[in-house]
Amino acid sequence: MDYSSLRKGLMGIVVSGLLLGGSLVSGTLASVAHARTLDTAYGDVEVSDAPQRVVTLYEGALDAALAAGVTPVGAVTTRGGDNVAEYVEAHFSGERPEIVGVVREINIEAVLAQQPDLILAAAQLPEPQYRLLSRIAPTVVPHAQPLAPDSWEAEARLYGQALNREAEIEDAISAVDHRISELAAAIDDANAGGTAVLARWMPNGPMVMSKALIATGLLAKVGLEVQDAGLVDEGHPHSDILSLENLSQVDGDWLFLATLNADGQAALDAAKQSAAFTRLDVVKQDQVVPVNGQLWSSANGPLAAQAILDDIENALLP
């Protein structure tokens, strides 16, 4: 949806909302009456001390909200999927958010229909969309973080501030750190480490994932030597697509192999029949670990970190 379409749709629904009694406007004014100020990518934003209806427009924001004990009323789908990521399902306590679009195409009308008093968005939210959304409710956009394994922590802390649940987010981050320490010690005791590559299989082939992601960062923190074969440029989340002839570059002691959806899985299933795949040492050693790409290559936040650590523990310490 382009900017003019978004603006047209928003204005039409705002007018309708006003004719129905102006509950959205009055609710927004009430929340601002007890506001705090946050430093965001688009300047200072006033947020309520006690937001009641939260919409998240980014996987990391949904993760942080649930970790803080808040179930959003609206959320976008995860990348490559048609709903929220599977790993967060266990954290819904009876209620679940309405889907209000996908990360790259937010449905403004659907967001407005939820009558939010707080919107948590991604750092990549374009300014025209921010301007529209901020007319619905205070919209919190984090400052862009460098691609790094621990960038999720700064984002989670800002979302925690917006929800007025800083302590819950700090507890969740501390729990991740504690789990890393325990798992690293157990892997070392079991002598189960070694080199590791994270690859995501797309319909047209595999990509090597960066060492600067949350998942590869966790692999390193628990004691594995993460490799990218020099194929990933600095600041990029993954390499170009590899040909099957170059598949040996993902060989090692452990291969964590992610797919995002059924199309990627079908391509991987076909590739597994190829000689290039079966002659990999990691295949012969039966140390290829299938993982969910929605979690391992797209998710962000303390709940994602715990779920990734679950996978690592199950693979290396069965």
Side-chain angles (χ1 to χ4, degrees):
M1 183 179 293
D2 59 24
Y3 177 79
S4 60
S5 297
L6 289 172
R7 185 175 185 278
K8 182 179 179 180
L10 174 66
M11 292 306 296
I13 294 179
V14 165
V15 171
S16 299
L18 290 172
L19 293 175
L20 289 172
S23 59
L24 173 62
V25 174
S26 61
T28 301
L29 291 176
S31 65
V32 171
H34 304 283
R36 296 171 297 123
T37 303
L38 299 184
D39 176 22
T40 79
Y42 290 116
D44 289 349
V45 172
E46 303 283 311
V47 300
S48 166
D49 274 344
Q52 300 297 311
R53 297 184 63 80
V54 179
V55 167
T56 59
L57 304 177
Y58 165 52
E59 295 104 318
L62 173 60
D63 186 301
L66 291 171
V70 174
T71 300
V73 296
V76 293
T77 64
T78 187
R79 289 174 176 81
D82 56 7
N83 210 320
V84 296
E86 294 175 3
Y87 81 93
V88 300
E89 293 283 349
H91 300 280
F92 296 137
S93 52
E95 299 179 359
R96 55 182 304 114
E98 295 292 328
I99 297 301
V100 295
V102 300
V103 172
R104 297 184 185 279
E105 188 173 356
I106 299 163
N107 185 327
I108 298 291
E109 293 90 345
V111 173
L112 184 57
Q114 295 306 315
Q115 299 192 15
D117 53 13
L118 177 65
I119 298 172
L120 304 179
Q124 296 76 23
L125 184 76
E127 185 167 358
Q129 288 194 24
Y130 168 77
R131 297 297 172 198
L132 286 173
L133 291 164
S134 62
R135 296 175 64 182
I136 300 173
T139 301
V140 174
V141 179
H143 292 281
Q145 300 293 318
L147 187 66
D150 57 356
S151 288
W152 63 272
E153 296 182 19
E155 289 186 347
R157 288 190 169 103
L158 179 64
Y159 297 136
Q161 292 172 17
L163 295 164
N164 202 12
R165 300 202 177 198
E166 294 97 325
E168 287 84 350
I169 290 297
E170 290 301 328
D171 287 348
I173 293 173
S174 295
V176 172
D177 291 339
H178 181 69
R179 178 87 183 281
I180 290 170
S181 297
E182 287 188 332
L183 189 52
I187 289 172
D188 185 56
D189 289 344
N191 195 27
T195 61
V197 172
L198 172 61
R200 187 170 73 193
W201 209 287
M202 304 299 286
N204 49 352
M207 301 185 301
V208 177
M209 305 304 290
S210 168
K211 295 186 287 186
L213 304 180
I214 178 174
T216 43
L218 291 169
L219 286 169
K221 286 181 178 179
V222 299
L224 283 89
E225 182 186 340
V226 180
Q227 300 179 342
D228 66 5
L231 297 171
V232 183
D233 293 335
E234 185 174 354
H236 289 245
H238 54 70
S239 71
D240 293 334
I241 297 288
L242 290 178
S243 65
L244 287 180
E245 289 74 20
N246 290 321
L247 200 57
S248 60
Q249 295 181 76
V250 303
D251 212 349
D253 296 315
W254 294 95
L255 173 58
F256 293 83
L257 199 48
T259 53
L260 274 177
N261 50 35
D263 291 341
Q265 186 61 49
L268 173 58
D269 291 343
K272 283 181 176 177
Q273 308 305 314
S274 70
F277 193 89
T278 57
R279 64 172 169 250
L280 293 175
D281 287 338
V282 71
V283 174
K284 295 174 182 174
Q285 295 166 11
D286 195 23
Q287 293 195 159
V288 177
V289 183
V291 294
N292 188 320
Q294 294 176 3
L295 170 63
W296 276 69
S297 63
S298 296
N300 226 346
L303 300 182
Q306 291 283 6
I308 292 168
L309 292 171
D310 285 345
D311 286 348
I312 296 172
E313 182 172 1
N314 291 334
L316 273 66
L317 303 172

